Amino acid sequence: MAGRTGNTLPAPRLYQARKAVHRARTVLRRSAVDYFRGEGSDWIAFAALLATVPALAYATAAEPLWFAPEALVLPVIAGGLLLRPASLLVLYAAAAGALIVEATALGPYTAGPGRVTPGTVLVVGAVGLSGLLIAQFRSRVGVPWRRGNTMLFDLRERIRVQSKLPKLPAGWHREMALRPAGGQSFSGDFVVATLTGPDRRTLEAVLTDVSGKGMDAGSRALLLSGAFGGLLGSLPPHAFLPAANDYLLRQDWQEGFATSVHLVLDLDSGDYELFSAGHVPALQLNAGSGRWEEKNADGPLLGVYDGARFDPVKGSLRPGDVLMLFTDGLVETAERELAEGIDRLTGEADRYVVAGFEGAAWHLIEAVARDVNDDRALLLIRRD
């Protein structure tokens, strides 16, 4: 019995050891994931950076020509980006202690190069102060830097998904292109679209241009795209822009206005209504005559005054016809008037008549407004 017991003891011990290792790995992995997402403790980064401080101090005392005293700014900079203010103060205290140790080990700064000079102390202190200010601001906002890029990416993706056009039935082609100002990822122009009606045979699309451009208008565009997406299809077409206007007025923004165009297209007959809120006119290509016609509905800007009315303009898309909705950044600049920009756009669009306008939206923006410092968006619908 004793022999059997002795033979069976290692198995439970081995199992417990493996279980402990697995538990430690799980805790470490969860801590790393939480830290990256900004939801966990910063003890991993704090321990790593704190360990580099004495390592750098030792290297500086041993080889001052290769490891300058100013090397302590490296963990200080990293700490300003990674740590919370409380942990950062402990790291700074360790860095200050390391400077004292280095100054004692290397001797007076007047004895030769490679010493801790007053300039070294000023540089490390200035970098530390900058890092502390950044950490305090980040803590006040409540968004760790590790989470900041993820949040910006998520916001950009939400705008992109909300601007995705629904798939149209056979016989229709649609595409949309959007180019923010200055090559940024955020735009004040956006599109929301959905299929409505009993058989989902009505396309409702709204193209909106929020005041401002790029990053300045991106947050407002995200808020409005979500609100407009909820209103679209939930209200009768004639009630959408009045409801959007009321919503904008309630926000009480300093730059609270926007232009918008609302398309309601019957995919069976090709008949449509176009509602406009201070937006540039739409363009329709008549396949029979080959001419472009402006479609300009009446309506004021969104968010300017209460009780605004929006009267639609009606039209019909026959086989081969094309309808283009766009924002003013595509056709109007400080050096170019609206009429001239529209002429240039239609002239470039004529090149795609034979090709069926496949991929034309992106190329049209490239051709007529590539270097314009404004948000540009173009929605194109063709009946095959």
Side-chain angles (χ1 to χ4, degrees), residues 192-210:
V192 290
T194 187
L195 295 176
T196 61
D199 300 323
R200 298 178 61 83
R201 300 290 296 182
T202 300
L203 172 67
E204 290 196 48
V206 177
L207 175 61
T208 303
D209 182 2
V210 179

Side-chain angles (χ1 to χ4, degrees), residues 16 27 31 78 81-82 140 155 171 193 197 199 231 242 248-249 283 292 296 318 339-340:
Q16 292 177 359
V27 171
S31 299
L81 296 174
L82 297 173
R140 182 179 303 174
L155 291 176
D199 300 323
L231 293 174
L248 225 66
L249 288 172
L283 294 173
W292 290 92
N296 196 2
R318 293 174 293 274
E340 180 185 353

